[in-house]
């Protein structure tokens, strides 16, 4: 034949190779996603809540709402 | 045979839908082994009128194919090799059922050692056995343009329908959707301090009575 001989392709262990790659990638990606979520979403949200409640006066808040006239009870 | 009857119906269906499936036309070669084909995509509306006029039907496709297949004369369904299919690469029946004398001689020669066949003869045998090579069968087409065009056309048509509906079908808007009511509603939510940490009221500046910058 005039055709040059091809290199022998990979015949065995194809599934194992694929699984190895994908298991590692799955672990890495899921841990990465969780970490990113924690530090980009969860922690800032907790900070905002803490800041809000540090300077929060419930009674004053109630008085403001009452002044605005949204309550239907206890009108003088 | 059950499988054969299924293939018959499949090919009838294929013949009817030759336009979307086989989106290429063959230039009829005068001589030569390989059929060269020219691809052009058809815009939607001329395609539609052509189909109506029957110009682009099975007959014309068949005529286009007839002299194009230099390997053998026109095949009819239900031969399973009528059209090359990617999911059925090695059909039972060869593409050419009626062989010319040269082809029959070649088939006889094929029974001997294959080293004696020249390359041209091997290609001729291939062409007798199969409708198209894998490369020809899997060639890209311009069908996606027609599909996308049809999709956008129907987007536009739907838009027209919706606009007409809004004009002639919809009743009056309820009072709760008037600007006055909506602004009073917003004021009430802000008075109640709805979602004051991360939501609506957190974006409102109560000192200046305006949205926060």
């Amino acid at each position: 034949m005039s055709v040059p001989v091809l290199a022998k392709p990979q015949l065995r262990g194809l599934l194992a190779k694929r699984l190895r790659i994908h298991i590692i990638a799955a672990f890495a990606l899921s841990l990465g996603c969780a970490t990113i979520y924690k530090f980009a979403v969860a922690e800032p949200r907790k900070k905002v809540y803490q800041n809000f409640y540090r300077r929060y006066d419930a009674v004053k808040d109630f008085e403001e709402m009452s002044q605005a006239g949204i309550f239907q009870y206890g009108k003088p | 045979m059950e499988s054969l009857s299924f293939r018959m119906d499949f090919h009838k269906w294929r013949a009817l839908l030759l336009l979307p499936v086989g989106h290429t036309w063959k230039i009829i070669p005068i001589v030569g082994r390989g059929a060269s084909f020219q691809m052009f995509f058809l815009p939607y509306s001329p395609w539609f009128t052509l189909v109506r006029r029957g110009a682009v039907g099975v007959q014309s496709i068949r005529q286009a194919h007839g002299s194009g297949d230099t390997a053998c004369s026109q095949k009819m369904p239900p031969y399973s090799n009528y059209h090359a299919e990617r999911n059925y690469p090695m059909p039972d029946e060869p593409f050419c059922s009626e062989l010319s004398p040269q082809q029959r001689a070649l088939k006889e020669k094929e029974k001997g050692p294959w080293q004696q066949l020249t390359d041209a003869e091997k290609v001729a045998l291939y062409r007798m056995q199969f409708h198209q090579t894998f490369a020809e069968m899997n060639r890209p087409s311009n069908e996606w343009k027609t599909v996308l065009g049809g999709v956008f056309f129907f987007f536009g048509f739907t838009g027209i329908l919706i606009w007409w509906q809004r004009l002639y079908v919809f009743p009056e808007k309820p009072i709760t959707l008037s600007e006055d009511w909506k602004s009073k509603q917003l004021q009430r939510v802000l008075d109640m301090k709805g979602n004051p940490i991360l939501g609506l009221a957190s974006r409102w500046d109560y000192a200046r009575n305006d949205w926060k910058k």
Side-chain angles (χ1 to χ4, degrees):
Chain A
M1 294 280 279
S2 52
V3 180
V5 178
L6 291 169
K8 186 171 180 180
Q10 178 70 18
L11 295 173
R12 290 169 175 272
L14 293 163
L15 180 65
K17 181 175 164 207
R18 179 199 157 83
L19 284 179
R20 198 173 23 235
I21 292 173
H22 282 74
I23 282 176
I24 294 171
F27 263 98
L29 277 175
S30 47
L31 287 175
C33 277
T35 321
I36 287 173
Y37 184 85
K38 179 179 167 68
F39 288 111
V41 177
E43 288 300 318
R45 198 175 277 174
K46 284 193 245 177
K47 285 274 163 40
V48 171
Y49 270 78
Q50 282 170 2
N51 289 340
F52 179 82
Y53 281 111
R54 198 170 299 142
R55 287 177 270 115
Y56 181 63
D57 185 7
V59 177
K60 175 161 159 275
D61 209 32
F62 172 74
E63 291 301 327
E64 281 174 8
M65 285 195 224
S66 209
Q67 289 296 320
I70 58 170
F71 296 129
Q72 291 172 329
Y73 62 87
K75 284 212 168 54
Chain B
M1 252 199 287
E2 300 237 326
S3 59
L4 252 187
S5 65
F6 165 78
R7 297 215 77 78
M8 265 164 57
D9 297 332
F10 174 74
H11 282 293
K12 262 191 234 159
W13 171 80
R14 273 286 287 267
L16 287 171
L17 288 184
L18 261 171
L19 269 174
V21 173
H23 217 251
T24 61
W25 297 67
K26 277 190 181 171
I27 291 180
I28 301 166
I30 303 169
V31 285
R33 238 184 301 130
S36 62
F37 31 80
Q38 181 186 41
M39 288 188 278
F40 56 93
F41 91 98
L42 302 167
Y44 191 80
S45 21
W47 182 29
F48 206 60
T49 50
L50 278 174
V51 167
R52 284 237 201 85
R53 253 186 264 126
V56 197
V58 184
Q59 291 302 321
S60 52
I61 302 266
R62 214 172 268 166
Q63 277 158 25
H65 274 207
S67 347
D69 292 338
T70 53
C72 58
S73 57
Q74 184 55 36
K75 279 186 71 136
M76 300 269 291
Y79 287 119
S80 53
N81 213 343
Y82 177 62
H83 269 301
E85 285 163 48
R86 201 158 42 185
N87 60 323
Y88 198 60
M90 314 272 278
D92 308 324
E93 291 150 6
F95 182 52
C96 295
S97 44
E98 301 114 17
L99 300 176
S100 70
Q102 299 101 311
Q103 289 174 327
R104 250 174 267 140
L106 195 55
K107 275 291 190 190
E108 286 299 318
K109 194 175 174 193
E110 195 195 9
K111 292 181 184 167
W114 289 340
Q115 282 76 11
Q116 290 176 0
L117 295 168
T118 65
D119 280 349
E121 286 173 338
K122 285 177 191 162
V123 173
L125 282 169
Y126 185 93
R127 286 290 171 189
M128 287 198 299
Q129 184 70 21
F130 299 106
H131 172 223
Q132 283 175 327
T133 66
F134 270 76
E136 289 165 5
M137 187 195 342
N138 294 340
R139 66 185 177 275
S141 78
N142 279 324
E143 185 184 353
W144 66 275
K145 297 176 190 169
T146 306
V147 169
L148 224 54
V151 165
F152 291 144
F153 174 80
F154 276 110
F155 280 176
F157 184 65
T158 309
I160 288 175
L161 286 181
I162 289 174
W163 164 78
W164 180 88
Q165 200 178 35
R166 191 175 288 189
L167 204 58
Y168 291 107
V169 176
F170 280 10
E172 291 290 322
K173 267 202 216 171
I175 188 172
T176 50
L177 286 177
S178 60
E179 285 302 316
D180 191 39
W181 192 287
K182 283 201 285 189
S183 58
K184 284 193 194 143
Q185 194 166 16
L186 177 61
Q187 182 61 52
R188 192 174 149 79
V189 174
L190 291 171
D191 289 340
M192 287 194 276
K193 312 245 169 123
N195 295 328
I197 305 172
L198 282 170
L200 188 64
S202 71
R203 317 269 256 157
W204 181 258
D205 194 345
Y206 284 93
R208 290 187 312 117
N209 234 21
D210 195 1
W211 295 111
K212 280 185 187 163
K213 286 288 179 288

